[in-house]
Amino acid sequence: MGNLLGIRRPKDGEQNLIQPPPEESAGQAPVTPSFVYVLAFFSALGGFLFGYDTGVVSGAMLPLKKEMNLNKLWQELLVSSTVGAAAVSSLGGGFLNGWLGRRICILIASFIFSIGGIILGLAPSKEVLLVGRVTVGLGIGIASMTVPVYIAEVSPPHQRGQLVTINSLFITGGQFIASLIDGAFSYLAHDSWRYMLALSAVPAVLQFIGFIFLPESPRWLLQSGRTQEAHDVLRRIRGGRSVDVEYESIKTSIEDEEREAGGDAPVILRILRHGPTRRALIVGCGLQMFQQLSGINTVMYYSATILQMAGIRDDKRAIWLTAATSGCNFVFTLLGVWLVDRLGRRKLTLGSLCGTGLSLALLALGFLLSAQNAPSISLHPLDPQNSTCSLYETCQPCMLDPLCGFCYRDNGTAVYDSSCVPANQTYTSLASWGRCSNQSEAADGLFWAYNYCPTSYSWLVLLGLLLYLAFFAPGMGTMPWTVNSEIYPLWARSTGNACSSGVNWIFNVLVSLTFLHVAEFLTYQGAFFMYAGLVVLGLFFILGCLPETQGLQLEDIESLFSGPLCSCGASSPNDRRNVQYIRRGSDSGPERSGALDSGGSVAYITLK
Ligand SMILES: O[C@H]1[C@H](O)[C@@H](O)[C@H](O)[C@@H](O)[C@H]1O
């Protein structure tokens, strides 16, 4: 077990186990060999595919709906089957990761992505499309839990945060490119969806070929007893310099860890029985849960609706506006990559969450003001379908009823001649009868609004949306993945990441599938106030429970969780940076301030 300072217990007679790399001790800035960047790039292609395949479907759905005649159930199935399959395979990926290693898992994921892309591109029917979407989902799940672990295990500690966060950059980059591809191909008259969906096979094949030549994680090799190979790989990724100290340090930690967490019980039970790993798992899963509860995917999947509400009415433009939203998410993730090893994980996450909560409140306020000033309904035409739509007096309840839409005229300053009529349920961009039933675009100042009401508070909603992405992306969008790749000891890393990624995907499905229903019951402002409330809960959780892992060697992070849960947020990383072990009773050496750990077995000195 580690001590309170975040350092594992040294063995008898062990001294100065944690040594800075030679160039650091010589006072130079540590250098990251370019080979590590190559590894990070090829593995982060897994993140790109994760982003591409979750992002591409919204744009592909527009032509798909028409060409395959999809009803609502099939549309929902094609969107959520991928996320559902990712939840299942990320949980199963933990076992594969421990058994076959990171490299083989990445190869499997890229192979699955390639096959999935081919199935989607050639699909002759909606059933085959579903098989393709499930297939890519299986790939996403494995990639989402393996890639951050692999990058963390090959990175030097001083740059680990930045390199792992590149994977998140690739996720949002994948979402952004997907929306651009959707936009570009939407001009094709036929089969545009085939190109949109199949293109993911290109980076998948590239990753597969790359990983045939790239090495396995040295930490996994060591754990599997392939010591010589582990030493060679470590030397390669440290630019050929001597790695004996680091190698020995990793090896001793693995032996210690295995002794402490020993037993033949399944890993998940050992994680739950062992205090530090149990606490790390709670923190890791909590972070992933709060990432999704902050509502990112309601914004990503429904940004077109939200922007429509903000006054942008042209349906065809929606696809490009989604690109603007995901572009914003991507640009601000870049800021996260820059900040993570400067600010540290804790400050970045806390700052991001505060801003996310405030922006959600602003978004909600925008919706509230829009609702309070929603235009009233002036025309009540006789409804041949006898629907509930004709009962409403203002646009607000009409918009919240999924069966109805708002048909109105606008002369630039005011809304007039407004009615609430049933929406065409197969193509909600039109009314099912009446003056708004045969045109999807404005003509003679006549408009059809499904899911939104015309408002003069659109700027507030737009501002809220932009601020939301600007705050969410650099911290909450990236840190849950980064922190999870670091906080588990090697024996628990695969399973820990599998569980936390599973939690991420499960809450992703939950939040995105329930959003429209939640909005129907609570209204849009109610839904966004609810997400803001959940963010406040998340803030307390992170404030109390998330320790700083910046700059620490992976093997030393477990002991950050040795105290009671939610006492670990209190320590600062700099307290732990320059620490050496000395033997108990040994008193020689420079001036020091010393202390004993809770077990009384380790003394430390902090070099200033
Ligand atoms: O970190 C990512 C990223 O923020 C994406 O934009 C989002 O769609 C994912 O759900 C999330 O896990």
Side-chain angles (χ1 to χ4, degrees):
M1 219 225 307
N3 61 41
L4 290 173
L5 279 172
I7 301 179
R8 70 185 164 68
R9 178 182 296 158
K11 297 171 78 166
D12 276 351
E14 193 176 54
Q15 227 174 344
N16 294 350
L17 239 184
I18 301 176
Q19 302 268 3
E23 69 272 34
E24 266 181 88
S25 47
Q28 299 160 12
V31 184
T32 306
S34 42
F35 186 49
V36 173
Y37 290 109
V38 174
L39 291 185
F41 171 80
F42 274 96
S43 24
L45 282 176
F48 181 87
L49 288 160
F50 160 174
Y52 188 90
D53 281 313
T54 50
V56 76
V57 70
S58 60
M61 199 51 82
L62 300 177
L64 254 178
K65 268 196 294 202
K66 291 183 209 150
E67 290 178 40
M68 287 243 175
N69 210 358
L70 301 177
N71 61 21
K72 261 197 170 164
L73 176 71
W74 269 95
Q75 291 175 39
E76 274 174 3
L77 267 178
L78 290 178
V79 176
S80 40
S81 55
T82 305
V83 185
V88 174
S89 74
S90 61
L91 288 169
F95 168 71
L96 285 183
N97 237 270
W99 177 40
L100 299 172
R102 325 310 187 205
R103 177 175 165 272
I104 300 286
C105 279
I106 294 180
L107 278 168
I108 293 177
S110 46
F111 181 73
I112 297 179
F113 277 126
S114 317
I115 299 293
I118 295 170
I119 297 178
L120 287 167
L122 300 176
S125 65
K126 52 182 186 282
E127 289 77 13
V128 179
L129 263 179
L130 185 62
V131 173
R133 290 291 294 163
V134 170
T135 310
V136 292
L138 295 176
I140 294 177
I142 299 178
S144 70
M145 64 129 318
T146 310
V147 171
V149 169
Y150 179 80
I151 303 182
E153 288 184 346
V154 296
S155 304
H158 73 277
Q159 223 188 352
R160 188 180 58 237
Q162 202 162 56
L163 291 170
V164 179
T165 309
I166 285 184
N167 184 50
S168 298
L169 184 70
F170 273 51
I171 298 177
T172 53
Q175 289 174 327
F176 179 42
I177 300 283
S179 53
L180 292 181
I181 299 257
D182 280 353
F185 280 101
S186 66
Y187 296 100
L188 274 187
H190 292 290
D191 285 347
S192 54
W193 56 269
R194 289 193 191 278
Y195 301 102
M196 297 172 184
L197 297 172
L199 267 175
S200 67
V202 177
V205 170
L206 183 69
Q207 189 187 42
F208 187 84
I209 296 174
F211 259 86
I212 293 178
F213 302 102
L214 294 175
E216 179 53 90
S217 144
R219 287 174 162 90
W220 184 85
L221 286 170
L222 242 170
Q223 192 192 29
S224 314
R226 290 154 67 176
T227 48
Q228 187 53 47
E229 232 179 300
H231 192 276
D232 294 348
V233 174
L234 195 61
R235 211 180 146 84
R236 245 178 110 190
I237 60 179
R238 295 292 176 259
R241 65 154 204 258
S242 164
V243 288
D244 292 345
V245 174
E246 189 179 355
Y247 175 85
E248 275 308 318
S249 151
I250 298 174
K251 188 161 170 265
T252 322
S253 307
I254 293 173
E255 287 163 6
D256 280 359
E257 281 173 4
E258 280 179 353
R259 214 172 306 120
E260 283 161 13
D264 291 330
V267 182
I268 185 69
L269 285 185
R270 282 155 59 197
I271 291 182
L272 293 174
R273 281 190 205 137
H274 185 55
T277 46
R278 182 176 60 243
R279 289 186 278 270
L281 186 69
I282 294 173
V283 171
C285 291
L287 268 174
Q288 292 286 25
M289 179 182 81
F290 282 114
Q291 179 194 67
Q292 293 301 320
L293 290 181
S294 315
I296 176 64
N297 288 315
T298 66
V299 169
M300 293 304 287
Y301 301 163
Y302 298 99
S303 57
T305 310
I306 296 172
L307 288 162
Q308 267 183 338
M309 248 215 78
I312 300 138
R313 288 175 282 221
D314 180 5
D315 217 24
K316 288 204 180 103
R317 250 184 249 161
I319 219 164
W320 287 112
L321 288 169
T322 314
T325 318
S326 50
C328 197
N329 195 15
F330 171 67
V331 169
F332 285 101
T333 310
L334 208 63
L335 183 68
V337 175
W338 187 74
L339 284 177
V340 58
D341 284 326
R342 290 178 169 80
L343 271 187
R345 289 51 164 162
R346 207 175 129 76
K347 275 193 200 141
L348 186 57
T349 315
L350 282 172
S352 158
L353 209 53
C354 285
T356 302
L358 289 175
S359 325
L360 280 168
L362 197 67
L363 253 176
L365 191 72
F367 281 106
L368 181 68
L369 288 173
S370 308
Q372 280 175 350
N373 296 287
S376 54
I377 288 165
S378 55
L379 300 176
H380 291 272
L382 206 64
D383 185 351
Q385 293 175 347
N386 214 5
S387 70
T388 47
C389 308
S390 53
L391 302 175
Y392 302 124
E393 293 299 329
T394 65
C395 174
Q396 180 71 5
C398 172
M399 174 265 287
L400 288 173
D401 187 333
L403 297 177
C404 313
F406 187 66
C407 183
Y408 66 101
R409 286 183 191 281
D410 190 344
N411 60 12
T413 46
V415 168
Y416 64 103
D417 277 359
S418 53
S419 55
C420 181
V421 286
N424 181 331
Q425 286 304 304
T426 34
Y427 189 59
T428 51
S429 310
L430 290 175
S432 67
W433 53 263
R435 29 180 207 150
C436 283
S437 62
N438 53 11
Q439 54 198 324
S440 53
E441 281 179 71
D444 300 332
L446 185 68
F447 296 101
W448 168 247
Y450 179 74
N451 244 331
Y452 71 94
C453 287
T455 168
S456 49
Y457 289 95
S458 48
W459 62 273
L460 205 56
V461 175
L462 208 62
L463 183 70
L465 187 68
L466 284 178
L467 286 177
Y468 175 87
L469 290 168
F471 280 110
F472 177 89
M476 273 316 274
T478 55
M479 287 307 104
W481 297 108
T482 304
V483 169
N484 267 288
S485 71
E486 307 178 316
I487 54 178
Y488 309 101
L490 189 57
W491 62 268
R493 196 167 293 150
S494 309
T495 308
N497 272 278
C499 292
S500 60
S501 315
V503 166
N504 180 291
W505 288 110
I506 290 167
F507 278 88
N508 184 338
V509 184
L510 260 174
V511 173
S512 48
L513 273 188
T514 54
F515 174 61
L516 289 180
H517 294 96
V518 171
E520 206 180 316
F521 285 113
L522 296 182
T523 67
Y524 278 92
Q525 59 273 24
F528 283 107
F529 275 129
M530 184 187 86
Y531 296 129
L534 292 168
V535 162
V536 174
L537 283 185
L539 204 60
F540 284 121
F541 176 77
I542 285 162
L543 206 60
C545 305
L546 178 66
E548 184 53 82
T549 49
Q550 182 192 2
L552 291 175
Q553 178 118 338
L554 283 181
E555 284 65 31
D556 300 326
I557 292 176
E558 181 190 0
S559 45
L560 296 180
F561 295 93
S562 54
L565 182 67
C566 296
S567 63
C568 36
S571 49
S572 136
N574 297 326
D575 298 342
R576 303 183 199 94
R577 292 204 83 158
N578 301 311
V579 180
Q580 295 183 336
Y581 289 123
I582 59 170
R583 283 190 63 196
R584 182 160 41 160
S586 161
D587 241 335
S588 57
E591 343 79 90
R592 66 193 56 176
S593 57
L596 292 178
D597 80 345
S598 47
S601 60
V602 177
Y604 70 88
I605 55 170
T606 306
L607 303 174
K608 301 271 174 184

Tab-separated table of all heavy atoms in Angstrom, residues 16-46:
chain	number	residue	atom	x	y	z
A	16	ASN	N	16.185	6.015	-2.971
A	16	ASN	CA	16.096	6.882	-4.143
A	16	ASN	C	15.551	6.171	-5.363
A	16	ASN	O	16.123	6.222	-6.443
A	16	ASN	CB	17.467	7.454	-4.488
A	16	ASN	CG	17.946	8.386	-3.408
A	16	ASN	OD1	17.176	8.728	-2.510
A	16	ASN	ND2	19.190	8.783	-3.474
A	17	LEU	N	14.451	5.448	-5.142
A	17	LEU	CA	13.916	4.676	-6.270
A	17	LEU	C	13.452	5.558	-7.413
A	17	LEU	O	13.636	5.250	-8.577
A	17	LEU	CB	12.727	3.854	-5.775
A	17	LEU	CG	12.889	2.372	-5.955
A	17	LEU	CD1	11.646	1.661	-5.541
A	17	LEU	CD2	13.343	1.984	-7.329
A	18	ILE	N	12.823	6.650	-7.063
A	18	ILE	CA	12.307	7.508	-8.130
A	18	ILE	C	13.365	8.524	-8.491
A	18	ILE	O	13.678	9.412	-7.727
A	18	ILE	CB	11.027	8.224	-7.678
A	18	ILE	CG1	10.008	7.169	-7.303
A	18	ILE	CG2	10.500	9.132	-8.756
A	18	ILE	CD1	8.749	7.754	-6.755
A	19	GLN	N	13.934	8.334	-9.623
A	19	GLN	CA	14.980	9.235	-10.070
A	19	GLN	C	14.463	10.033	-11.249
A	19	GLN	O	13.790	9.503	-12.108
A	19	GLN	CB	16.169	8.403	-10.566
A	19	GLN	CG	16.731	7.470	-9.529
A	19	GLN	CD	17.857	8.122	-8.762
A	19	GLN	OE1	18.140	9.284	-8.997
A	19	GLN	NE2	18.464	7.408	-7.858
A	20	PRO	N	14.814	11.275	-11.285
A	20	PRO	CA	14.442	12.007	-12.490
A	20	PRO	C	15.266	11.495	-13.656
A	20	PRO	O	16.391	11.027	-13.460
A	20	PRO	CB	14.817	13.458	-12.156
A	20	PRO	CG	15.813	13.368	-11.056
A	20	PRO	CD	15.576	12.078	-10.347
A	21	PRO	N	14.730	11.557	-14.888
A	21	PRO	CA	15.528	11.157	-16.020
A	21	PRO	C	16.791	12.004	-16.084
A	21	PRO	O	16.805	13.132	-15.591
A	21	PRO	CB	14.621	11.459	-17.230
A	21	PRO	CG	13.296	11.784	-16.693
A	21	PRO	CD	13.432	12.048	-15.244
A	22	PRO	N	17.868	11.469	-16.704
A	22	PRO	CA	19.160	12.140	-16.680
A	22	PRO	C	19.103	13.595	-17.103
A	22	PRO	O	19.669	14.452	-16.459
A	22	PRO	CB	19.989	11.330	-17.681
A	22	PRO	CG	19.271	10.050	-17.868
A	22	PRO	CD	17.879	10.233	-17.442
A	23	GLU	N	18.334	13.879	-18.163
A	23	GLU	CA	18.368	15.254	-18.637
A	23	GLU	C	17.700	16.198	-17.664
A	23	GLU	O	18.057	17.354	-17.561
A	23	GLU	CB	17.777	15.386	-20.051
A	23	GLU	CG	16.307	15.156	-20.155
A	23	GLU	CD	15.958	13.709	-20.370
A	23	GLU	OE1	16.674	12.851	-19.826
A	23	GLU	OE2	14.967	13.446	-21.049
A	24	GLU	N	16.681	15.636	-16.863
A	24	GLU	CA	16.018	16.497	-15.882
A	24	GLU	C	16.987	16.839	-14.769
A	24	GLU	O	17.052	17.957	-14.295
A	24	GLU	CB	14.810	15.784	-15.284
A	24	GLU	CG	13.529	16.116	-15.992
A	24	GLU	CD	12.371	15.396	-15.342
A	24	GLU	OE1	11.796	15.954	-14.396
A	24	GLU	OE2	12.060	14.277	-15.774
A	25	SER	N	17.744	15.797	-14.337
A	25	SER	CA	18.645	16.056	-13.235
A	25	SER	C	19.759	17.004	-13.669
A	25	SER	O	20.328	17.702	-12.883
A	25	SER	CB	19.203	14.753	-12.679
A	25	SER	OG	19.639	13.955	-13.743
A	26	ALA	N	20.035	17.023	-14.958
A	26	ALA	CA	21.052	17.951	-15.437
A	26	ALA	C	20.460	19.338	-15.650
A	26	ALA	O	21.096	20.219	-16.169
A	26	ALA	CB	21.640	17.435	-16.728
A	27	GLY	N	19.179	19.498	-15.270
A	27	GLY	CA	18.555	20.802	-15.339
A	27	GLY	C	17.963	21.134	-16.708
A	27	GLY	O	17.540	22.234	-16.951
A	28	GLN	N	17.954	20.133	-17.633
A	28	GLN	CA	17.370	20.424	-18.945
A	28	GLN	C	15.906	20.009	-18.968
A	28	GLN	O	15.498	19.160	-18.197
A	28	GLN	CB	18.088	19.603	-20.030
A	28	GLN	CG	19.556	19.919	-20.129
A	28	GLN	CD	20.290	18.783	-20.833
A	28	GLN	OE1	19.685	17.890	-21.417
A	28	GLN	NE2	21.593	18.820	-20.740
A	29	ALA	N	15.163	20.611	-19.908
A	29	ALA	CA	13.767	20.207	-20.044
A	29	ALA	C	13.732	18.788	-20.604
A	29	ALA	O	14.510	18.462	-21.496
A	29	ALA	CB	13.073	21.156	-20.990
A	30	PRO	N	12.858	17.893	-20.056
A	30	PRO	CA	12.800	16.542	-20.581
A	30	PRO	C	12.329	16.533	-22.035
A	30	PRO	O	11.480	17.331	-22.417
A	30	PRO	CB	11.781	15.854	-19.671
A	30	PRO	CG	11.108	16.929	-18.914
A	30	PRO	CD	11.941	18.156	-18.980
A	31	VAL	N	12.879	15.616	-22.817
A	31	VAL	CA	12.552	15.577	-24.244
A	31	VAL	C	11.698	14.347	-24.524
A	31	VAL	O	11.955	13.278	-23.993
A	31	VAL	CB	13.848	15.465	-25.086
A	31	VAL	CG1	13.540	15.520	-26.570
A	31	VAL	CG2	14.816	16.563	-24.695
A	32	THR	N	10.653	14.530	-25.356
A	32	THR	CA	9.842	13.375	-25.749
A	32	THR	C	10.282	12.919	-27.136
A	32	THR	O	10.198	13.703	-28.085
A	32	THR	CB	8.355	13.774	-25.794
A	32	THR	OG1	8.017	14.349	-24.548
A	32	THR	CG2	7.466	12.581	-26.067
A	33	PRO	N	10.782	11.673	-27.273
A	33	PRO	CA	11.222	11.211	-28.591
A	33	PRO	C	10.070	11.215	-29.598
A	33	PRO	O	8.916	10.958	-29.231
A	33	PRO	CB	11.692	9.779	-28.330
A	33	PRO	CG	11.797	9.643	-26.864
A	33	PRO	CD	10.924	10.663	-26.233
A	34	SER	N	10.393	11.475	-30.864
A	34	SER	CA	9.321	11.599	-31.859
A	34	SER	C	8.558	10.289	-32.043
A	34	SER	O	7.387	10.287	-32.427
A	34	SER	CB	9.868	12.105	-33.184
A	34	SER	OG	11.070	11.466	-33.461
A	35	PHE	N	9.216	9.165	-31.739
A	35	PHE	CA	8.529	7.883	-31.873
A	35	PHE	C	7.260	7.836	-31.005
A	35	PHE	O	6.241	7.256	-31.393
A	35	PHE	CB	9.490	6.759	-31.480
A	35	PHE	CG	8.945	5.384	-31.712
A	35	PHE	CD1	8.371	5.039	-32.937
A	35	PHE	CD2	8.991	4.415	-30.718
A	35	PHE	CE1	7.859	3.765	-33.158
A	35	PHE	CE2	8.479	3.142	-30.936
A	35	PHE	CZ	7.917	2.822	-32.153
A	36	VAL	N	7.314	8.477	-29.838
A	36	VAL	CA	6.143	8.491	-28.953
A	36	VAL	C	4.983	9.240	-29.619
A	36	VAL	O	3.815	8.843	-29.507
A	36	VAL	CB	6.499	9.123	-27.584
A	36	VAL	CG1	5.259	9.312	-26.719
A	36	VAL	CG2	7.507	8.271	-26.866
A	37	TYR	N	5.318	10.305	-30.376
A	37	TYR	CA	4.258	11.034	-31.082
A	37	TYR	C	3.633	10.160	-32.173
A	37	TYR	O	2.431	10.206	-32.408
A	37	TYR	CB	4.811	12.318	-31.709
A	37	TYR	CG	5.177	13.368	-30.678
A	37	TYR	CD1	6.510	13.671	-30.413
A	37	TYR	CD2	4.197	14.053	-29.966
A	37	TYR	CE1	6.851	14.623	-29.469
A	37	TYR	CE2	4.529	15.009	-29.027
A	37	TYR	CZ	5.852	15.292	-28.781
A	37	TYR	OH	6.183	16.233	-27.840
A	38	VAL	N	4.488	9.351	-32.822
A	38	VAL	CA	3.966	8.449	-33.861
A	38	VAL	C	2.994	7.465	-33.215
A	38	VAL	O	1.879	7.229	-33.712
A	38	VAL	CB	5.132	7.681	-34.554
A	38	VAL	CG1	4.598	6.642	-35.516
A	38	VAL	CG2	6.046	8.657	-35.255
A	39	LEU	N	3.395	6.906	-32.067
A	39	LEU	CA	2.517	5.966	-31.362
A	39	LEU	C	1.205	6.639	-30.979
A	39	LEU	O	0.121	6.083	-31.157
A	39	LEU	CB	3.193	5.464	-30.076
A	39	LEU	CG	4.398	4.557	-30.218
A	39	LEU	CD1	4.858	4.071	-28.853
A	39	LEU	CD2	4.042	3.369	-31.080
A	40	ALA	N	1.328	7.865	-30.424
A	40	ALA	CA	0.122	8.578	-29.983
A	40	ALA	C	-0.786	8.842	-31.178
A	40	ALA	O	-2.010	8.666	-31.101
A	40	ALA	CB	0.497	9.880	-29.294
A	41	PHE	N	-0.201	9.225	-32.320
A	41	PHE	CA	-1.012	9.533	-33.494
A	41	PHE	C	-1.782	8.298	-33.973
A	41	PHE	O	-3.005	8.335	-34.146
A	41	PHE	CB	-0.134	10.078	-34.633
A	41	PHE	CG	-0.879	10.206	-35.937
A	41	PHE	CD1	-1.705	11.296	-36.163
A	41	PHE	CD2	-0.794	9.216	-36.915
A	41	PHE	CE1	-2.424	11.405	-37.351
A	41	PHE	CE2	-1.512	9.315	-38.101
A	41	PHE	CZ	-2.328	10.416	-38.317
A	42	PHE	N	-1.055	7.194	-34.162
A	42	PHE	CA	-1.734	6.007	-34.697
A	42	PHE	C	-2.777	5.457	-33.725
A	42	PHE	O	-3.819	4.968	-34.138
A	42	PHE	CB	-0.713	4.923	-35.073
A	42	PHE	CG	-0.180	5.116	-36.460
A	42	PHE	CD1	1.009	5.784	-36.677
A	42	PHE	CD2	-0.896	4.667	-37.561
A	42	PHE	CE1	1.496	5.995	-37.964
A	42	PHE	CE2	-0.425	4.866	-38.851
A	42	PHE	CZ	0.775	5.538	-39.053
A	43	SER	N	-2.506	5.534	-32.423
A	43	SER	CA	-3.527	5.016	-31.510
A	43	SER	C	-4.715	5.969	-31.432
A	43	SER	O	-5.862	5.528	-31.367
A	43	SER	CB	-2.966	4.706	-30.121
A	43	SER	OG	-1.827	5.431	-29.853
A	44	ALA	N	-4.435	7.289	-31.486
A	44	ALA	CA	-5.553	8.243	-31.404
A	44	ALA	C	-6.464	8.176	-32.629
A	44	ALA	O	-7.580	8.701	-32.590
A	44	ALA	CB	-5.022	9.655	-31.200
A	45	LEU	N	-6.016	7.491	-33.693
A	45	LEU	CA	-6.944	7.269	-34.811
A	45	LEU	C	-8.176	6.504	-34.316
A	45	LEU	O	-9.268	6.630	-34.870
A	45	LEU	CB	-6.262	6.464	-35.925
A	45	LEU	CG	-5.311	7.254	-36.835
A	45	LEU	CD1	-4.639	6.317	-37.826
A	45	LEU	CD2	-6.061	8.356	-37.577
A	46	GLY	N	-7.989	5.720	-33.245
A	46	GLY	CA	-9.122	5.029	-32.615
A	46	GLY	C	-10.119	6.054	-32.088
A	46	GLY	O	-11.333	5.892	-32.214
